[in-house]
Amino acid sequence: MTIPAPAGPGTMRQADAFAGWVHRSSRGLEIGTETPSGKPQSAPVALFWALGTTWQLRKTLWILVLKEFKSRYRAQALGLAWSFAYPLIMMGTVSLAFTYILHIRIKNFTVFYLIAAVFWQWFSNATLAATGSFVDNASLVKKTVFPRYLFPIAAVRANGINFALEWALVFAFYFVFPQAYRFNVTLIALVPLSALQLFLLVGVCLCTSALNVRYRDVYYIVTSVLTFGFWLSPILYATEMAPPLLRYLLRLNPLAGVMEGARDVVMRGQWPNVASLLPAVAVASVVFLIGCAIFRRQNLELSDHV
Amino acid sequence: MHRDVVIRAAGVGKRYQRVHEKPMLLRDMALLLSSRMRSVDEFWALRDVSFEVRKGEAMGVLGPNGSGKSTLLTLLAGTAYPSEGTASTRGRVSPLLELGAGFSQDMTGEENIIINAGLLGLTAEEARQRMRAMVEFAELGHVIDTPIRQYSSGMKARLGFSIAMHVTPDILIVDEVLAVGDLRFQEKCSREFDRMRGEGVTIVLVSQSPDVIAMRCDRALWLKDGRVQNIGDAKEIAAEYERAMRPPMD
C-alpha cells in the first residue's frame, strides 16, 4: 500500500501520502504526528495542498466534467444544437433591436456583441450551475472523501466546454462579416483571457456554492445579481462610450477587461490593453482569496447542512 | 500509546441543529440575532465517545436506529467534523457508506469506475490500473463499455462493490452495505472481506445485526443514545446486545 492517498473531504489528498496522522476537530484539520497539537492546518498550507490535489485529480475531474456536460444534453432531442441555437437567436434579436431600431453606431455590432456574449454566457451559466453544486451533489458530499471544492470547479469547466464550442460560432461568422475580423498572431491572447475568466469564475463560485449550503437564498441573489451584471458589463456597449468617472467604475468589473480584450484581439488584431486588464486581475485575485476563505469556513459544516 | 493504533477517537461528540423544516434563509439569520429565536433545537447525535482501533483489527459498531452509528462513521471517514473532541486516523481511509456513489446513468461502466473510484480516493491512473480486476470481480466484462442505464440494479451493486473492494485502503469503513447481489455474489464478497482482513486492512463495520458483528469482527462498540454503552470482545458484546434488545418474553 504505497500509493499516495486521500484524506478528508474538501481537504487534501496528499494528507496521508506519508501515512501520517489526520486529526479532525471542531477547529478543523490537522496533519502530522500521533498527538494533535491543537493547531489546525493554516490557510496558505491548505490552499497549497488543494492546488496539488486538483492537479493530481485532473483526469478524474475531467471525467466528472464530461458527466455534467453529457447529462445536461441527454434528454433533449436537439441536444448540443441548443448550445448553438441560444446564442444565435439571441444574437439575431439583439442585432435587430440595436442596429435597425436603436440605430447604434458601433461598427459590426453583431460580432461586437457575440464576442462579449460568449464570455457572458459562460460566466452566468457556470455561476448558476456551480452555486447549487454542493446541494445537487449532496449524497456525494455526505458520503465520499472526494475533495468538495471540485464540484463547483467541475460545473465551471462543464460550461467551459460550451464556451469553447461557441468560439467556433464566433469564427464561423467570419464568412458572414469578414470586415469585422482582423486575424493576427494576437489571437493567442484569447487563451490567457479565458484563463483569467476561469480564475475569476472559480473564486466567485467557491463563494456562492459554499454560502448556498447554509443560506439557500444565495441562489436567488445570484440570479438577480447576474441580471444587473449583464447591463454592467460591456456586452451591448463599450466602456469607452461612458463618461469618464463611470468608465473607471465600469472597468473595475473584471469581465469588462476580459470582454474588451477579446474584442481587441479578434476585431482589431491588437494585443489586449494591459492597463485595463490589471484591475481585472486584481479583482479576480481578491475574489479568489475571499472564495477560498468562505469555503474553508463553511467546509467544516458542509455535510451537516446539504 | 501503542505504535500500531490507526484510529483514535478522543472525547468525540457531534452536535446537530434541528433547525427548520425549510432550508435556512437569510431571514432566519436575522431572526437568530434576536434573543427570542436564539434557542435553536440542538441535539447531540454523539457524545463523549473514546476508543482506539489497532492495525488489522475489525471493529464492529452496534446500536439501534438513532444511536449515532452512522454519525460516528462519517466522523471517522472524515466526511464531517466533530463538534467536540478529536477523531484521528492514520493512513488511507476508504469510506464505503454508499455503493456506487456518483454513478451516472449516461456514462459507461468504465467511465463510472473512474468517477466512483475517484470519489473513493483513487486517481484516474490508479483506477485504470485496477480496471480489469474490478470488471472481472463484478463479472461485467461483456457490458462494461455500455451506459449503466442498461444495467440491472444487481449489476450496478456488483460494480459498486467491486470498485470499493479494489481501492485497497489502510482503513475501510463500511455501513451495512455488504448485502448486495445474489447469494453466490454475497459469498464472494464475504471471502473478499476476509482476504482484506488477512492483508492487515483495518475495518470498521456498522451493522444492526449482532450475528454479523460476532462473525466478522474482533471487537465491538455498542452505542446507545450517542454514548458508548459497552466496548469489548465482539462475541461478548454481540451476545449482550442481543439479550438487551430482545423483547421480554411473556
Side-chain angles (χ1 to χ4, degrees), chain A residues 3 5 9 13 16 23 74 148, chain B residues 78-79 88 106 121 126 130:
Chain A
I3 298 153
R13 253 182 73 86
D16 43 5
H23 307 283
R74 184 178 72 85
R148 291 152 174 180
Chain B
T79 64
S88 309
D106 308 314
E126 289 163 359
R130 298 163 202 209

Side-chain angles (χ1 to χ4, degrees), chain A residues 63-301:
Chain A
I63 294 195
L64 209 62
V65 166
L66 284 181
K67 170 189 155 184
E68 278 245 4
F69 185 75
K70 274 192 190 177
S71 62
R72 199 159 358 125
Y73 290 107
R74 184 178 72 85
Q76 300 169 359
L78 289 178
L80 204 53
W82 282 118
S83 180
F84 293 103
Y86 180 79
L88 273 178
I89 294 168
M90 191 64 187
M91 186 189 73
T93 318
V94 166
S95 302
L96 183 78
F98 281 78
T99 315
Y100 298 104
I101 302 172
L102 289 164
H103 298 291
I104 195 162
R105 280 174 303 175
I106 295 169
K107 267 195 229 161
N108 302 310
F109 182 74
T110 308
V111 176
F112 175 92
Y113 162 79
L114 189 60
I115 291 170
V118 165
F119 279 98
W120 178 255
Q121 279 299 313
W122 185 22
F123 186 81
S124 98
N125 290 341
T127 310
L128 284 177
T131 300
S133 60
F134 291 134
V135 181
D136 295 343
N137 290 302
S139 77
L140 299 184
V141 168
K142 277 178 192 275
K143 300 205 163 165
T144 72
V145 291
F146 196 65
R148 291 152 174 180
Y149 46 78
L150 294 180
F151 293 122
I153 292 176
V156 167
R157 292 208 19 205
N159 282 283
I161 298 180
N162 293 76
F163 172 76
L165 293 173
E166 284 168 25
W167 268 103
L169 201 63
V170 173
F171 290 119
F173 270 86
Y174 171 75
F175 299 101
V176 185
F177 307 104
Q179 76 284 3
Y181 295 82
R182 191 86 74 244
F183 292 136
N184 199 336
V185 64
T186 55
L187 274 182
I188 57 166
L190 286 177
V191 176
L193 286 172
S194 308
L196 176 57
Q197 168 137 337
L198 176 68
F199 180 53
L200 174 71
L201 267 171
V202 169
V204 169
C205 293
L206 278 177
C207 293
T208 58
S209 57
L211 285 175
N212 189 54
V213 172
R214 204 65 211 272
Y215 311 108
R216 296 290 158 85
D217 36 8
V218 167
Y219 190 84
Y220 302 103
I221 295 172
V222 167
T223 316
S224 327
V225 170
L226 284 174
T227 314
F228 307 132
F230 180 84
W231 293 100
L232 294 175
S233 303
I235 299 165
L236 295 170
Y237 55 83
T239 49
E240 65 200 22
M241 294 158 74
L245 181 63
L246 186 57
R247 194 185 307 165
Y248 291 119
L249 287 176
L250 287 174
R251 283 183 180 161
L252 282 179
N253 175 358
L255 289 176
V258 173
M259 290 167 173
E260 305 213 302
R263 280 179 186 146
D264 286 341
V265 165
V266 177
M267 300 182 74
R268 299 193 191 90
Q270 290 170 358
W271 293 104
N273 182 350
V274 175
S276 69
L277 275 177
L278 283 180
V281 174
V283 172
S285 308
V286 171
V287 169
F288 179 75
L289 292 178
I290 294 174
C292 291
I294 292 179
F295 172 81
R296 190 170 144 79
R297 209 184 148 74
Q298 297 293 329
N299 182 39
L300 293 182
E301 298 190 341

